[in-house]
């Protein structure tokens, strides 16, 4: 997992990445507790590194810097935990505030969001093993009206790659890749605002950040994602679940993850949990009130809406939680925030959520 507090706003440079394991084995019958801790430095990053992302198998690491430099590290030997710098290139004159990998079935490619509001996709091209270079596939620039890209998310549905983008004016755009071999040929599929009522009108929007989380389930299920905004327009902020209606070929809001008193709260981050056999989906959202865990039903009602239930409100971070990620089983939620700590959350057999562990980086500086 890669965590970075307050994305797109006053980034804190990263200087070192640690490999930290802390686990607990409990046999309640015999009251046996076993703890193992290990911390090892994987690599030291250059000054000014602002963001990073692992690829799907954690064998490659992409980092972005405040100087606009994209750097790729590779693990030459998968059995070891050592990484080597393999590529380094200047991709922009402004800083990179977020970097993420394209789904692996579409090649080795990364997307970079820049501090000037644009983003681009870069692909690794190899003529032979000795000559590898990164080339620009597509540049998305929306600076004509000072509109900035706040977040992006890739999703795969029916063998088609989707790209969800959130903008500072409250607009959501969905792009589609018709040809999986051509990462440069993106087509705009839809654009809409993050509101339940499509006829709602409001004036100029000032949005500091947004968070998108694609439904991680693969297969023939409905294409869906969750998105929330941190803006000055209450109607935009609350996290909405959007689903693609195949019959009418359009995106529809099917759930709102907010109680009546919370609908105007600014959303910091959203994370959709993998679902392995649960009769509901589970999504985590973070606001100034804490981290909320939501259960979302699978079967829509006669109006096409999904049932939602807030099952937990977690607190523990000093300040807001700015990034969250679930483990592969969807059982453990990891969060990070202003306090610099990574906190792990789990629910017990009775469905009660609690903090399982808190990890404090040894080199953390609240700068």
């Amino acid at each position: 997992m890669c965590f970075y507090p307050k994305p797109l706003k006053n980034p804190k440079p990263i200087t070192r990445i640690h490999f930290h394991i802390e686990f607990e084995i409990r046999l309640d019958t015999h009251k046996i507790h076993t703890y193992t801790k290990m911390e090892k430095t994987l690599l030291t990053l250059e000054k000014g590194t602002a963001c990073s992302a692992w690829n799907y198998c954690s064998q490659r690491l992409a980092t972005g810097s405040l100087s606009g430099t994209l750097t790729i590290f590779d693990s030459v030997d998968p059995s070891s935990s050592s990484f080597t710098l393999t590529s380094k290139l200047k991709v922009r004159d402004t800083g990179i505030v977020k970097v993420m990998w394209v789904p692996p079935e579409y090649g080795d490619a990364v997307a970079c969001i820049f501090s000037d509001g644009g983003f681009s996709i870069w692909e690794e091209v190899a003529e032979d093993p000795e000559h590898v270079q990164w080339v620009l596939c597509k540049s998305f620039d929306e600076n004509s009206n000072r509109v900035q890209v706040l977040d992006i998310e890739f999703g795969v549905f029916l063998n088609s790659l989707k790209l969800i983008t959130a903008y500072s004016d409250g607009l959501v755009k969905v792009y589609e890749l018709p040809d999986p071999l051509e990462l440069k040929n993106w087509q705009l599929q839809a654009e809409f605002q993050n509101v339940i009522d499509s006829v709602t009108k409001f004036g100029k929007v000032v949005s500091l950040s947004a968070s998108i989380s694609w439904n991680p389930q693969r297969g023939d299920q409905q294409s869906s994602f969750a998105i929330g905004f941190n803006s000055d327009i209450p109607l935009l902020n609350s996290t909405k679940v959007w689903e693609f209606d195949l019959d009418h070929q359009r995106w529809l809001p099917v759930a709102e993850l907010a109680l009546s008193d919370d609908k105007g709260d600014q959303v910091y981050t959203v994370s959709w949990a993998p679902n392995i056999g649960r009769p509901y989906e589970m999504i985590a959202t973070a606001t100034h009130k804490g981290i909320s865990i939501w259960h979302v039903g699978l079967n829509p009602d006669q109006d096409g809406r999904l049932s939602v239930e807030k099952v937990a409100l977690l607190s523990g971070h000093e300040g807001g939680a700015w990034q969250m990620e679930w483990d592969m089983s969807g059982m453990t939620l990891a969060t990070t925030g202003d306090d610099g700590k990574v906190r792990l959350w789990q629910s017990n057999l009775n469905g009660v959520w609690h903090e399982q562990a808190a990890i404090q980086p040894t080199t953390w500086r609240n700068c």
Side-chain angles (χ1 to χ4, degrees):
M1 303 179 194
C2 174
F3 296 101
Y4 183 60
K6 288 192 179 180
L8 311 185
K9 183 181 178 184
N10 302 324
K12 297 179 176 69
I14 302 170
T15 57
R16 184 170 296 176
I17 290 183
H18 294 279
F19 177 69
H20 188 111
I21 295 179
E22 181 175 352
F23 64 87
E24 177 181 12
I25 300 176
R26 293 186 176 184
L27 299 177
D28 292 336
T29 304
H30 303 288
K31 303 296 182 182
I32 298 176
H33 300 266
T34 302
Y35 300 86
T36 300
K37 294 184 178 181
M38 178 176 65
E39 184 173 298
K40 178 182 178 181
T41 299
L42 292 180
L43 64 153
T44 300
L45 306 179
E46 292 185 356
K47 183 179 180 180
T49 301
C51 53
S52 61
W54 298 99
N55 73 337
Y56 74 103
C57 62
S58 299
Q59 296 299 313
R60 311 193 77 183
L61 178 70
T63 68
S65 75
L66 299 177
S67 64
T69 300
L70 173 66
T71 306
I72 306 296
F73 297 87
D74 285 286
S75 177
V76 180
D77 182 5
S79 63
S80 71
S81 57
S82 60
F83 284 79
T84 303
L85 191 157
T86 55
S87 297
K88 184 177 181 181
L89 63 155
K90 180 87 168 179
V91 296
R92 198 83 156 198
D93 290 331
T94 56
I96 303 173
V97 293
K98 182 174 182 177
V99 60
M100 67 184 307
W101 291 86
V102 173
E105 54 264 53
Y106 295 89
D108 289 309
V110 297
C112 302
I113 300 180
F114 305 105
S115 58
D116 63 3
F119 74 99
S120 60
I121 298 175
W122 295 76
E123 184 180 19
E124 185 181 56
V125 178
E127 296 180 0
D128 57 70
E130 300 297 328
H131 298 86
V132 176
Q133 62 178 340
W134 287 81
V135 298
L136 177 64
C137 290
K138 178 69 175 180
S139 180
F140 298 79
D141 291 311
E142 304 285 344
N143 291 323
S144 57
N145 297 316
R146 297 184 179 273
V147 176
Q148 292 190 322
V149 177
L150 300 178
D151 196 19
I152 62 175
E153 179 82 354
F154 292 101
V156 179
F157 175 63
L158 295 177
N159 298 320
S160 174
L161 182 61
K162 309 284 188 182
L163 172 61
I164 317 296
T165 60
Y167 293 86
S168 58
D169 61 356
L171 202 62
V172 180
K173 293 184 180 182
V174 181
Y175 295 89
E176 188 174 35
L177 189 69
D179 186 350
L181 300 179
E182 294 290 342
L183 283 175
K184 61 182 180 180
N185 295 331
W186 291 89
Q187 293 182 356
L188 180 63
Q189 182 195 50
E191 58 179 277
F192 46 85
Q193 290 180 311
N194 190 43
V195 293
I196 294 293
D197 185 357
S198 61
V199 300
T200 300
K201 302 295 181 182
F202 38 77
K204 183 179 180 181
V205 179
V206 178
S207 185
L208 298 178
S209 63
S211 181
I212 310 168
S213 186
W214 183 269
N215 183 347
Q217 293 298 103
R218 296 291 186 93
D220 297 334
Q221 298 187 47
Q222 292 292 87
S223 178
S224 54
F225 65 91
I227 180 171
F229 278 82
N230 176 7
S231 78
D232 61 346
I233 304 296
L235 289 174
L236 278 176
N237 290 334
S238 61
T239 300
K240 318 294 193 308
V241 176
W242 292 84
E243 191 172 275
F244 189 68
D245 184 352
L246 286 172
D247 293 333
H248 299 90
Q249 291 294 298
R250 61 177 179 172
W251 290 89
L252 298 174
V254 294
E256 183 175 15
L257 306 185
L259 302 179
S260 57
D261 296 336
D262 305 330
K263 289 189 176 182
D265 291 348
Q266 297 169 334
V267 176
Y268 301 149
T269 182
V270 180
S271 186
W272 195 314
N275 189 350
I276 304 179
R278 286 192 305 267
Y280 53 84
E281 297 291 345
M282 193 156 58
I283 302 175
T285 63
T287 68
H288 72 281
K289 296 177 181 177
I291 301 164
S292 298
I293 306 296
W294 298 86
H295 288 180
V296 181
L298 301 180
N299 300 313
D301 60 19
Q302 60 182 4
D303 296 323
R305 297 285 191 261
L306 300 176
S307 63
V308 298
E309 179 186 4
K310 185 177 179 178
V311 297
L313 179 62
L314 312 176
S315 60
H317 286 289
E318 298 174 7
W322 290 92
Q323 192 165 354
M324 305 185 294
E325 189 169 336
W326 294 90
D327 69 345
M328 294 180 64
S329 67
M331 302 292 289
T332 302
L333 176 67
T335 65
T336 188
D338 286 333
D339 56 6
K341 292 183 179 180
V342 175
R343 300 182 185 274
L344 305 181
W345 310 86
Q346 292 180 340
S347 66
N348 59 23
L349 296 178
N350 296 321
V352 178
W353 284 82
H354 61 280
E355 183 180 297
Q356 182 72 12
I359 303 171
Q360 174 71 61
T362 56
T363 57
W364 169 257
R365 291 181 302 142
N366 192 6
C367 53

